[in-house]
Amino acid sequence: MSDLLGKRLELSRRHLLQRFGGGAVAAMALVQAGPLLASPVFRTYPFQLGVASGDPAPDGFVIWTRLAPDPLDIDYGMPAAAVEVGWEVAADEVFREIVQTGTALARPELGHAVHVEVAGLQPGRPYWYRFTAGRERSLWGQARTLPTAGAPVERLRFGVAGCQHFEQGYYTAYRHLAAENPEFVFCYGDYIYEGRSNRVWNGGEMGPIENVRQYAGDELYSLGDYRRRYAQTRMDTDLQAAHAAAPWFMTWDDHEIDNNWTAEIDQDGTPAAIFALRKQAAMQAYYEHMPLRASSMPVGPAMRLYRQASYGDLLDLNLLDTRQYRSDQPCEDRWGQPCDTIGRRDAEVLGRAQESWLFERLRQSQSRWQVLAQQVMMMDLDRTPGEVRTENLDSWAGYREPRRRLLETVREQGRGNVVVLTGDEHQNYAGELHLDGQRPDARPIATEFVTTSISSGGNGVDQRADTAAIQQENPQLKWHNARRGYVICDVTPDVWTTEYRTLDSVTERGAEIRTRMRMAVDHGRPGSLAEA
């Protein structure tokens, strides 16, 4: 093991001990050395799940891979022993100028996944990385370090994507996203879906729709179940291309564990202690397959995903977790029905610890833009046009008191430069945030951009009739679209431009990408949101 890796493991050990006390002992047992198979010979290619990077810092980033010669087998083709994996980082894509090398252990306790926290690099520039195991070598990926804290940054382009139901469409959009050469990708969640394999799904007004491909297996409960679902997903080469093109900031929504879960509640009446076992398995598999730092390693049925990254003096990216600390949805999460309990004063979305952390960072921020990168819509849209008002109870609109606290803090501390990035809805939206969207103030508090799905929901349509009716009832909603794709955010000190990239089809491979809409907002003027 290299000196650098040893130092990083010691730092990770100290972090876990400081954060979790004695509970860190079990977590660190997963990263310490044990029986070692140093020079393996693989029957088939072991890097079938690709490579990835994530959580960049000014001096480095995480690089990730997982050894899986037979990804869907019970033991995925690996022995019950740790395997030594070499890694190298270069200043050029042909690896003539190697700047760092080392070895890491791919341990069976972590599904033979490798997370290397590379440090000591130069700020604000690209690097290339790859792995070796035995005589096998991975493909290479590109990562980027952040600019130095507070350094002038004149422009930043990054992608937003998520909701990638494997069965309902191909990941063509990811191949196009990779070609954009973004500085980073923010993944808002629903990386996998936990349900059983299905040949058809209910497309609503579109009727029954046959899936273009199928998951292997039944609904996910065990660690092995979740591992195989991630492995099948990560075998998609379009997804691998997007991971290899840029570092990703990962967060989750609900389907990484169970539909509409909150805190200790799975919506199916499962006892909390039993659901905790499922969460523990799902969280371990999530960590194993994501380019996350050791600070996000799960301890039991809990892991910390809220964190911040800063791009010089231009942008503070606050990554939030709106699932793990949330109180139960009001009114049993019944869609489209009036609900009096959405005003509960004891309701939580972020939980008080994460909320305090966020409010302090908004107060301290000196950046031109502050970003809330999260999962569920913050606009409080009336979802049933007419006399009766209803909300999406699984969104911030179902939690009026925590929503009010957040927006009042944004109004006081955000200086009109807060942008909220959201997913979950399987549609594109652009709109303004007010304390009460039905009675908006003259000046909006912030701007929200909602990104559609990569594939969830099938092909979709340009604009849904029901959403058009909703827009007529909601003056804060400025634009919507129901195709699949991703978003590119192009940020300068004076203007934030969101470019909505869409595909006409995800049920056939190779669809062309186009820019369906550009929406822009001026620095310090959230009310200026308009077509660019």
Side-chain angles (χ1 to χ4, degrees), residues 199-218:
R199 186 182 65 84
V200 297
W201 61 281
N202 182 5
E205 294 181 357
M206 297 179 287
I209 298 176
E210 185 170 0
N211 285 319
V212 298
R213 50 187 179 180
Q214 288 183 258
Y215 278 131
D218 210 324

Side-chain angles (χ1 to χ4, degrees), residues 221-511:
Y221 292 99
S222 71
L223 176 58
D225 292 340
Y226 283 99
R227 279 176 172 169
R228 282 187 287 277
R229 186 63 52 89
Y230 279 106
Q232 185 176 13
T233 301
R234 274 197 167 270
M235 289 171 69
D236 185 283
T237 54
D238 292 333
L239 175 59
Q240 289 185 19
H243 271 296
W248 284 38
F249 286 104
M250 306 300 309
T251 61
W252 60 24
D253 195 12
D254 53 341
H255 289 289
E256 285 84 356
I257 296 178
D258 187 40
N259 182 47
N260 282 12
W261 74 280
T262 62
E264 300 176 352
I265 302 169
D266 74 344
Q267 313 303 323
D268 299 320
T270 305
I274 302 300
F275 181 50
L277 298 177
R278 185 180 187 181
K279 284 202 302 179
Q280 184 170 333
M283 289 178 182
Q284 179 174 337
Y286 181 79
Y287 176 79
E288 287 175 356
H289 290 84
M290 300 299 140
L292 292 166
R293 295 182 181 270
S295 56
S296 292
M297 182 181 290
V299 176
M303 61 188 297
R304 178 166 170 168
L305 286 177
Y306 65 87
R307 57 209 191 276
Q308 184 187 73
S310 295
Y311 278 78
D313 66 350
L314 182 63
L315 181 148
D316 284 343
L317 183 72
N318 299 288
L319 296 138
L320 306 182
D321 178 352
T322 61
R323 285 289 165 191
Q324 194 170 183
Y325 314 103
R326 197 201 299 193
S327 54
D328 196 14
Q329 292 95 340
C331 300
E332 300 179 352
D333 196 17
R334 295 192 302 270
W335 180 268
Q337 297 185 33
C339 179
D340 295 332
T341 58
I342 63 175
R344 282 176 44 194
R345 296 191 64 81
D346 62 344
E348 299 286 349
V349 175
L350 302 177
R352 290 307 175 101
Q354 181 181 193
E355 186 178 276
S356 297
W357 170 89
L358 174 62
F359 290 178
E360 181 64 16
R361 271 145 188 79
L362 289 174
R363 185 185 68 81
Q364 293 179 353
S365 177
Q366 299 298 315
S367 294
R368 295 284 287 179
W369 301 92
Q370 297 85 40
V371 181
L372 308 187
Q374 50 102 58
Q375 293 76 43
V376 293
M377 184 182 283
M378 204 168 287
M379 280 183 283
D380 55 341
L381 301 182
D382 179 356
R383 302 286 181 140
T384 53
E387 295 183 4
V388 177
R389 175 178 176 177
T390 66
E391 290 86 0
N392 176 359
L393 301 179
D394 191 49
S395 74
W396 281 89
Y399 297 79
R400 286 182 182 166
E401 184 62 20
R403 182 180 182 275
R404 179 195 61 78
R405 289 197 304 268
L406 175 58
L407 289 180
E408 285 183 347
T409 301
V410 167
R411 183 170 57 187
E412 294 167 3
Q413 307 293 345
R415 299 177 294 281
N417 301 317
V418 171
V419 171
V420 179
L421 300 178
T422 301
D424 181 58
E425 297 277 342
H426 303 173
Q427 294 191 65
N428 289 310
Y429 295 89
E432 300 168 343
L433 293 173
H434 300 266
L435 288 180
D436 185 346
Q438 304 309 302
R439 288 174 285 275
D441 294 327
R443 176 182 169 86
I445 296 172
T447 304
E448 182 172 21
F449 297 112
V450 181
T451 300
T452 189
S453 61
I454 287 289
S455 59
S456 301
N459 290 331
V461 295
D462 186 65
Q463 291 193 325
R464 284 171 34 174
D466 59 339
T467 310
I470 289 171
Q471 184 173 356
Q472 291 181 351
E473 292 273 324
N474 294 270
Q476 73 272 36
L477 178 58
K478 304 303 180 183
W479 180 77
H480 65 95
N481 165 267
R483 289 294 189 192
R484 307 296 157 237
Y486 57 88
V487 150
I488 292 291
C489 297
D490 193 329
V491 186
T492 70
D494 296 326
V495 180
W496 180 299
T497 304
T498 294
E499 302 175 354
Y500 292 91
R501 306 278 204 262
T502 62
L503 304 160
D504 288 339
S505 174
V506 294
T507 55
E508 297 179 359
R509 294 187 184 273

Side-chain angles (χ1 to χ4, degrees), residues 41 74 160 165 175 213 259 277 384 423-424 465 486 493 513 528:
V41 176
I74 291 176
V160 183
H165 200 306
R175 185 69 66 167
R213 50 187 179 180
N259 182 47
L277 298 177
T384 53
D424 181 58
Y486 57 88
I513 197 81
S528 65

